[in-house]
Amino acid sequence: MSKSSAINRRTFLGSAAALGAAGLALPSLAQQFDPYTGQPIQGAIPGATPDAGAVQYDPNADQRHNISSFQGQDWRPHFQNLTNGAILCDLTSRAVHFWSEDGNTYKVYPSSIPVSEDLTRTGRTEIIKKVEGPSWSPTPEMKARNPEWPDFVPPGPDNPLGTHALWLSWQYYRIHGTHDTRKIGRKSSNGCIGLYNEHIQELYSLTKIGTQVLVI
């Protein structure tokens, strides 16, 4: 990576955190809006992707958790069987449920969800790839809308995919971690499902290629 590219990446990823504290003292920064989704961005520089260190959410939405939906679920209404294990991503309660193939292990994790309906995909898919220490690149559509974004962010504490990522059969869709814990429980992604790093690490260890995934 060239020196200029490294500087641009650090500026892109680091400024949001730096300005988060300074924002109150610098009213000239004003409220910023993500050009991809139109949603407000909290603590970010212009053009910063909400998947790379800023929090994006719908200010008109009820941010409280749907506790009844977050409680334990039965897999049977959602899956015909538990072959390869099963993951249910419940967008209403912002929770991810996992059942092992033998049915003996059940886990539930709080999650982030996409910021808007046009970025949300629901239905059945499966895990096709597992990556520890994932890298990140903007999708072609993101890059076209935001040419100043970096083409590539390597694994590490600045990476918007956190420590682990599960690739789904839908192109560009992931279940992944995040280093920004403010995202969890909010509408704060461009389409993916985010978990705390400690939770994605556990889910990563429990799943396999072919694990069923249902997003509702």
Side-chain angles (χ1 to χ4, degrees):
M1 177 185 295
S2 67
K3 182 177 180 181
S4 62
S5 296
I7 292 174
N8 289 338
R9 184 175 66 82
R10 286 197 298 270
T11 300
F12 169 79
L13 294 168
S15 297
L19 292 178
L24 294 177
L26 296 174
S28 61
L29 291 176
Q31 177 66 68
Q32 296 160 23
F33 293 83
D34 182 79
Y36 185 76
T37 66
Q39 294 292 330
I41 300 176
Q42 309 300 311
I45 61 174
T49 169
D51 283 334
V55 173
Q56 185 177 163
Y57 64 94
D58 180 357
N60 299 314
D62 185 351
Q63 299 296 332
R64 294 173 299 179
H65 291 305
N66 183 336
I67 300 300
S68 62
S69 296
F70 191 79
Q71 294 174 348
Q73 297 279 345
D74 185 353
W75 62 269
R76 292 171 184 83
H78 308 290
F79 302 94
Q80 293 184 347
N81 55 62
L82 289 178
T83 302
N84 294 323
I87 293 174
L88 174 68
C89 301
D90 186 337
L91 302 180
T92 299
S93 60
R94 302 172 190 179
V96 171
H97 304 260
F98 169 79
W99 295 268
S100 61
E101 185 169 18
D102 60 12
N104 291 330
T105 300
Y106 170 71
K107 300 287 184 178
V108 59
Y109 309 104
S111 73
S112 64
I113 62 173
V115 297
S116 59
E117 289 187 8
D118 61 306
L119 293 174
T120 302
R121 183 165 183 175
T122 58
R124 298 188 183 278
T125 179
E126 64 181 53
I127 295 173
I128 62 169
K129 181 179 178 181
K130 300 173 57 176
V131 179
E132 182 174 358
S135 59
W136 178 86
S137 296
T139 67
E141 186 176 7
M142 290 179 190
K143 189 65 175 179
R145 291 175 180 269
N146 305 276
E148 74 278 13
W149 287 2
D151 294 324
F152 176 81
V153 179
D158 292 330
N159 191 282
L161 297 186
T163 61
H164 298 73
L166 304 173
W167 263 239
L168 303 181
S169 62
W170 300 334
Q171 188 177 26
Y172 305 129
Y173 285 82
R174 317 275 188 263
I175 301 173
H176 62 78
T178 178
H179 299 295
D180 187 350
T181 58
R182 299 171 298 171
K183 291 172 176 286
I184 305 304
R186 294 186 182 275
K187 294 182 177 181
S188 60
S189 83
N190 273 313
C192 296
I193 302 297
L195 302 177
Y196 290 117
N197 278 331
E198 58 267 33
H199 290 164
I200 190 62
Q201 182 176 4
E202 181 177 68
L203 185 62
Y204 181 96
S205 69
L206 293 171
T207 57
K208 62 181 71 175
I209 304 300
T211 293
Q212 306 172 70
V213 178
L214 173 61
V215 182
I216 62 172

